[in-house]
Each structure stands twice: as structure tokens, then as C-alpha cells.
Amino acid sequence: MSIAMMILHQVRYEWRSFWRNPAAAFFGAIFPLILLVIFNVLFGNNEITIAGGRTRASTFYVPAIAAMAVVNSCFTGMAMGAAISRDAGILKRMRGTPLPAWAYLLARIIQTSLVSFVIVTIVVVAGVALFGVTFRWETLPAFAFSVLLAAACCSALGLAVTALIPNADAAPAVVNGIVLPLLFISDVFVRGDAAPAWVHQVADIFPVRHISIALQTAFNPFTTGNGFDGRHLLVIAVWLVIGIALARRFFSWEPRR
């Protein structure tokens, strides 16, 4: 069997494993929809006037929740899943199969990215169908590309951060301790207009803020052009390369003693 077919087989296996896990499927696919409903209930979905025209407030909730969904399903899911597989000895056994190590990790990244893309699609469809969200179809390629690039970046960083996780029991604390502060300072949940300048400077270092802005730009119905935000996409791509390099250097296949 060729390497490409082995990767495809592994992607298919990981895909089925994810959707056959009710807890993972619920948290990944349903939780963002619950957040979308909560945002509309708490903050309203009235028409708002901004530069460019009028639109529903949900038009800006959807890309924010999409950014959170990508980060959670890829970074959090990848880091915790890899830590659990490592402690259970699954990764060690995978090293004894004909599948090359890099091909296995690539398959995990592809599967996680595809899952996040499906979750974001569900959120967008729900926003358009239930809450009257405005979407410019001209920017769909930019939005799809931004989601996939962000998913690959977060997946690679999720593999890399397993080097900081001593065991599977510590995975939730380590991962959430990294993700939650970044989500709040990166204008995902709330606007940080009143925050000190240094908070924005710190947020600009990490990819979460750039993911949020890239998705907002591509989803904004009043965006001019094709929706591609080159500067923020470049930062995400740089973090993707950093994540791959760190994962290649520090990723461990065996449980720690």
C-alpha cells in the first residue's frame, strides 16, 4: 500500500472514531450551536448600523464562535487526544506499524481540520437559517481557506504542546490554562477596546487573535475585495510552521515515566 493510501486509511479511521464518540461529537458539533443561541439570547439579534450598512448582530457572533470552535476542536482536541493516546500506549504501538510516524501525525492533522471545517459549516448554516445572518458568497473561498489554515495551525500546535503535558490527567488543566486566557484577550468572546495596550500587544503575538480577525474579515458582509486578510493569514501560516517544527522536535510517542 502506498503512503498516500495509508494516510487516507488513517484519516478515515480517525474520522469514524471521532463521530462514534458521543461526548466528543456533542462537545465539538453541538456546543458551538448552544453558544450561538446563548449569544443571541443574551446580547440580542437586532439590526445594527455600521460602516457600510445594516445587518443582524449575529453576523458578527458567527465568525467569533467559528474561531472558538476551530481552536477548541483542533488545539484542545488534538492536545488532549494525543496525551490520552500516549498514556494508553496507542502511540507507542503505532510506531510498530508500517505507517511512518510523520504520516500518522499528518493524518491526525487532516482529520482534525476536516472535523473543524464541518463544525464551522454547521455554525454558519445555523446562523443563516435561524438568525438571518448575512453572508457574502463572494468571500466564501477566503472564509474556507482561513478556516482550514487556522485548523491546521491549531492542530500542529496541539501536537507540540503535548510536550508540556506530563500525563493524561493533567491535559485539561494545561490545555485550558493556555486556551481560555487567549480566547478572552483575543477579542473572540468580548471586545477588548478598554483593555490596556499591552494586552493587545500580547494577543498579537499568538495566533488566536489573528484567526478571529481573519474569519471576521472574510465573513463581514461589508468587506471589500475577496475577503483574504493577507497579514493575519501570514501570521497564522508562520505559527503553523512553528507548530510543525516544535512537534517534530519535542513530540513524544511513549508515556512519561
Side-chain angles (χ1 to χ4, degrees):
M1 183 181 293
S2 66
I3 296 295
M5 289 302 298
M6 286 193 289
I7 293 175
L8 181 61
H9 177 80
Q10 188 65 31
V11 168
R12 184 167 61 248
Y13 169 79
E14 299 292 343
W15 175 270
R16 291 179 176 178
S17 297
F18 175 83
W19 293 109
R20 289 177 180 177
N21 184 337
F26 174 83
F27 184 80
I30 305 301
F31 184 69
L33 294 180
I34 295 175
L35 281 184
L36 181 61
V37 174
I38 291 175
F39 273 45
N40 280 277
V41 171
L42 292 181
F43 304 113
N45 189 28
N46 300 323
E47 284 195 351
I48 57 176
T49 302
I50 61 173
R54 294 178 62 83
T55 187
R56 293 280 183 182
S58 283
T59 302
F60 299 97
Y61 301 157
V62 168
I65 294 175
M68 181 219 67
V70 170
V71 174
N72 275 344
S73 63
C74 294
F75 180 80
T76 304
M78 179 68 81
M80 294 179 64
I84 293 172
S85 297
R86 183 186 64 192
D87 278 18
I90 296 175
L91 296 183
K92 183 178 181 179
R93 291 195 294 271
M94 287 299 302
R95 291 297 299 271
T97 67
L99 182 67
W102 67 267
Y104 172 75
L105 297 180
L106 178 60
R108 291 286 297 263
I109 292 176
I110 293 173
Q111 178 268 335
T112 307
S113 301
L114 291 176
V115 167
S116 70
F117 189 81
V118 171
I119 294 172
V120 170
T121 301
I122 293 173
V123 171
V124 172
V125 170
V128 173
L130 302 178
F131 301 106
V133 169
T134 304
F135 184 71
R136 279 186 63 217
W137 294 103
E138 295 84 354
T139 61
L140 179 59
F143 186 77
F145 178 80
S146 300
V147 169
L148 290 177
L149 180 63
C153 172
C154 291
S155 298
L157 290 173
L159 289 174
V161 83
T162 56
L164 302 177
I165 301 176
N167 52 65
D169 293 335
V174 174
V175 175
N176 289 321
I178 296 172
V179 168
L180 290 179
L182 288 177
L183 288 174
F184 277 100
I185 69 174
S186 301
D187 294 345
V188 175
F189 291 137
V190 293
R191 296 285 299 176
D193 297 334
W198 66 267
V199 173
H200 296 289
Q201 294 171 356
V202 172
D204 282 337
I205 298 174
F206 299 98
V208 177
R209 177 179 173 84
H210 301 281
I211 292 172
S212 178
I213 295 176
L215 295 185
Q216 290 279 358
T217 301
F219 203 86
N220 190 335
F222 308 114
T223 297
T224 58
N226 56 17
F228 286 94
D229 195 325
R231 183 173 73 89
H232 296 289
L233 292 176
L234 178 61
V235 174
I236 299 171
V238 169
W239 272 104
L240 170 60
V241 175
I242 293 174
I244 292 174
L246 292 176
R248 183 178 180 182
R249 173 63 179 83
F250 297 106
F251 187 78
S252 175
W253 294 84
E254 298 186 5
R256 295 186 178 180
R257 296 184 181 274

